[in-house]
Amino acid sequence: LVIRKLDNSGNIIWEKIYSDSKGGSHTGSNIAIDGQGNVFVSGIVPYQSGSNPTYDTILLKYTQSGDLLWTRQIHTQGVEITAPHSIFADSAGDITLVGGAYNPGSSVLIAKYSPNGDLLWNRTYSYSNYTSNSISQAQYDIKSNLFLGVMSSLGYDQRLIILKINASGEIQWEYPCGFEGCALGQDMKA
């Protein structure tokens, strides 16, 4: 997993390579920067190798000068893959990660960490009895409320579910959009 910081002319200011003792493929997916210039990176790393490999989500925090402050690996027991979709740094310096947990169905994974990397809360979300739930969109508002667009399906029945989650991780409301058969969400603004 390679992280580079460039200046306005495209010159490399610093470059970091993240790897762990498990080897295998380490893939980056998202970057967020907080108000102090700290850099957060999410990605996927191997949890278990072999004939049935599993993968976890990783969250890294670097200073603006490229020093690694902390690493958090998000593993969910019995899940083949956890994968990040979005990360957000709020005005308090907290970082929220939104992604998915897959095995054999899927659910939405949400975790919030303090600036020191302490887990503040985490939760999973699945709509009703739908077996497939994945993030379509994720946005934060200025009050640190998280709005999610979740694509949920059960057979041929697909729905877009819009959620509002407050800064404490509580679902404020959920709104199922669309009708049986199809509902697609391409963009959302908070």
Side-chain angles (χ1 to χ4, degrees), residues 14-78:
W14 53 261
E15 176 180 276
K16 300 295 175 179
I17 299 174
Y18 176 82
S19 182
D20 62 19
S21 61
K22 292 186 178 91
S25 177
H26 294 68
T27 305
S29 60
N30 305 101
I31 293 177
I33 300 172
D34 69 12
Q36 291 74 45
N38 296 306
V39 178
F40 297 89
V41 178
S42 66
I44 301 172
V45 296
Y47 175 74
Q48 175 182 318
S49 58
S51 60
N52 294 317
T54 59
Y55 297 89
D56 287 349
T57 292
I58 193 152
L59 182 61
L60 310 166
K61 181 178 182 180
Y62 290 89
T63 65
Q64 61 182 324
S65 58
D67 299 319
L68 181 63
L69 293 175
W70 50 257
T71 302
R72 298 295 177 265
Q73 190 162 338
I74 302 162
H75 175 74
T76 305
Q77 192 64 34

Side-chain angles (χ1 to χ4, degrees), residues 8 21 38 43 46 51 83 89 92 94 97 109 115 141 144-145 161 166 171:
N8 289 337
S21 61
N38 296 306
S51 60
D94 297 334
L97 181 139
L109 171 68
D141 70 8
S144 295
N145 293 305
I161 314 302
N166 69 16
I171 294 176

Side-chain angles (χ1 to χ4, degrees), residues 161-172:
I161 314 302
I162 300 173
L163 299 173
K164 178 183 179 183
I165 300 172
N166 69 16
S168 299
E170 300 162 349
I171 294 176
Q172 300 298 290

Side-chain angles (χ1 to χ4, degrees), residues 139-160:
Q139 296 287 323
Y140 246 117
D141 70 8
I142 59 172
K143 295 181 180 178
S144 295
N145 293 305
L146 181 63
F147 293 85
L148 300 178
V150 177
M151 291 301 301
S152 296
S153 62
L154 181 63
Y156 291 107
D157 184 8
Q158 297 180 348
R159 295 175 186 254
L160 172 66

Side-chain angles (χ1 to χ4, degrees), residues 83-165:
H85 176 278
S86 305
I87 54 176
F88 301 95
D90 66 21
S91 59
D94 297 334
I95 186 82
T96 302
L97 181 139
V98 179
Y102 307 95
N103 184 44
S106 60
S107 58
V108 174
L109 171 68
I110 310 155
K112 186 171 187 175
Y113 293 87
S114 74
N116 294 327
D118 300 320
L119 180 64
L120 299 174
W121 55 263
N122 68 353
R123 69 176 312 128
T124 57
Y125 173 81
S126 295
Y127 176 66
S128 188
N129 62 343
Y130 284 45
T131 56
S132 178
N133 298 273
S134 60
I135 291 292
S136 171
Q137 293 290 319
Q139 296 287 323
Y140 246 117
D141 70 8
I142 59 172
K143 295 181 180 178
S144 295
N145 293 305
L146 181 63
F147 293 85
L148 300 178
V150 177
M151 291 301 301
S152 296
S153 62
L154 181 63
Y156 291 107
D157 184 8
Q158 297 180 348
R159 295 175 186 254
L160 172 66
I161 314 302
I162 300 173
L163 299 173
K164 178 183 179 183
I165 300 172

